[in-house]
Amino acid sequence: MTRIHDHLVEERRDQLAVLRIDREAALGALSGDLVRALGEYLDVLRTDERVRVFVLTGTGKGFIAGADISEYHGVTAEEFADYQQLSRRVFGALESLPQLTIAAVNGYALGGGFEIALCCDLILAADRARFGLPEVKLGLLPGGGGTQRLTRDAGVRFATEAVVTGRFLGPEELQQRGVVSAIHPAADLLDKAIELAEDIAAKPPLAVAAAKQLIRSAVGTPLQEGLTAEHQVLFDLFATADAAEGISAFLDKRQPRFVGR
Ligand code: CAA
């Protein structure tokens, strides 16, 4: 366990990095300082070839309760815009990590907290987790991609209702929408996330990374273009040692040993 910031704790396991937002008193609210530290962490993580899967979680009943609202009070329009630009860059850095990313949402994931989860490849939720984009209640709207990413992930009408009411969304309804992959008792959530992360980390890394990139770029890519890209990547993978190993291991009825080449 390594404390890398007042409110960030990292645990390394074989091929995994687990980062926990440790700001229980404010339910994980994202101060500007915390977003900056998260950005610096992600900038290092992206080039760390030892890490294949990244898990982000929170503490207690807060995953991330959004932007730190106390920092919105009395700031200038420029300072407010600076915070939003910083968040946009850092959320984008999370979304574009080469590693597979899992949000283990232990509690409130509101505003920027939900938006951060939407930047992850997979979202696992505790049964007590509550998601939402409540910015409308502040006279604002989501500034970390909520109107764009939730719409792409869950559809226009669902996103509209979520944003204009700002209501809490339970994990079950988000699972029905395909946003949440699985729901676990809060006490088991992190273990389940790590189990899933270990399963993914044991898969051939080139295939996992390529699948992530193709799926991420599918929205917004014309179908024929996407299908051509899929073939190109598949043919490249077919030429790898890992594909030869995976196919041989299946035929030999043994466990494959992947090397990442
Ligand atoms: N910013 C700052 N502090 C926060 C916070 C936030 N987003 N969310 C919770 N806290 C603090 C509370 O102020 C409280 O601190 P004190 O003990 O010092 O009073 C502590 O965390 C515990 O919170 P509550 O007492 O409110 O706990 P609760 O269980 O009664 O309610 C909650 C939990 C429903 C999540 C409630 O705290 C809440 O509504 N929080 C605000 C959520 C929100 O609106 N998030 C969106 C922010 S805007 C954004 O993210 C996007 C953008 O920039 C446009």
Side-chain angles (χ1 to χ4, degrees):
M1 215 75 91
T2 312
R3 180 164 295 279
I4 56 171
H5 177 268
D6 283 353
H7 302 308
L8 291 176
V9 177
E10 190 205 44
E11 187 184 346
R12 283 291 175 109
R13 297 185 177 215
D14 191 27
Q15 298 178 327
L16 311 185
V18 180
L19 186 70
R20 182 167 60 82
I21 311 283
D22 181 25
R23 198 186 177 200
E24 198 171 2
L27 304 178
L30 293 174
S31 62
D33 179 51
L34 180 47
V35 178
R36 209 165 291 110
L38 179 60
E40 286 165 12
Y41 172 84
L42 294 172
D43 288 345
V44 175
L45 185 73
R46 70 170 45 252
T47 59
D48 189 336
E49 291 178 1
R50 293 165 303 173
V51 176
R52 292 189 184 166
V53 185
F54 171 61
V55 178
L56 180 66
T57 194
T59 306
K61 63 174 189 167
F63 171 67
I64 298 169
D68 187 331
I69 301 171
S70 67
E71 293 189 358
Y72 281 3
H73 187 65
V75 296
T76 64
E78 286 73 24
E79 287 165 335
F80 180 76
D82 284 350
Y83 175 86
Q84 301 303 328
Q85 293 296 356
L86 171 69
S87 300
R88 179 172 171 180
R89 187 189 76 70
V90 172
F91 292 13
L94 172 60
E95 185 172 46
S96 68
L97 277 181
Q99 293 93 346
L100 212 287
T101 56
I102 301 174
V105 177
N106 50 294
Y108 289 112
L110 302 174
F114 189 14
E115 291 169 313
I116 279 201
L118 290 171
C119 291
C120 292
D121 298 309
L122 297 169
I123 302 177
L124 303 189
D127 44 10
R128 69 173 180 204
R130 291 294 174 270
F131 298 79
L133 296 171
E135 290 88 342
V136 72
K137 297 177 191 170
L138 302 172
L140 300 171
L141 57 69
T147 62
Q148 303 303 303
R149 294 194 178 95
L150 184 62
T151 305
R152 283 166 169 75
D153 289 357
V156 170
R157 287 179 188 75
F158 185 83
T160 303
E161 200 239 338
V163 171
V164 303
T165 66
R167 73 176 174 87
F168 288 161
L169 308 166
E172 292 83 6
E173 62 181 312
L174 287 172
Q175 188 175 33
Q176 282 163 16
R177 291 269 157 190
V179 176
V180 164
S181 309
I183 303 169
H184 299 288
D188 300 341
L189 178 71
L190 191 55
D191 287 347
K192 292 289 183 188
I194 288 171
E195 213 174 275
L196 176 62
E198 285 173 343
D199 179 42
I200 295 167
K203 298 290 188 296
L206 295 176
V208 171
K212 168 173 175 154
Q213 296 310 327
L214 280 168
I215 292 165
R216 281 278 172 199
S217 61
V219 175
T221 301
L223 181 61
Q224 291 306 324
E225 202 182 300
L227 292 173
T228 301
E230 186 184 75
H231 264 182
Q232 281 163 352
V233 173
L234 173 64
F235 300 157
D236 288 347
L237 286 173
F238 185 71
T240 63
D242 279 351
E245 167 67 4
I247 293 164
S248 300
F250 175 80
L251 295 174
D252 297 346
K253 299 188 189 305
R254 62 173 171 81
Q255 285 300 314
R257 281 184 303 277
F258 296 118
V259 291
R261 292 192 308 276

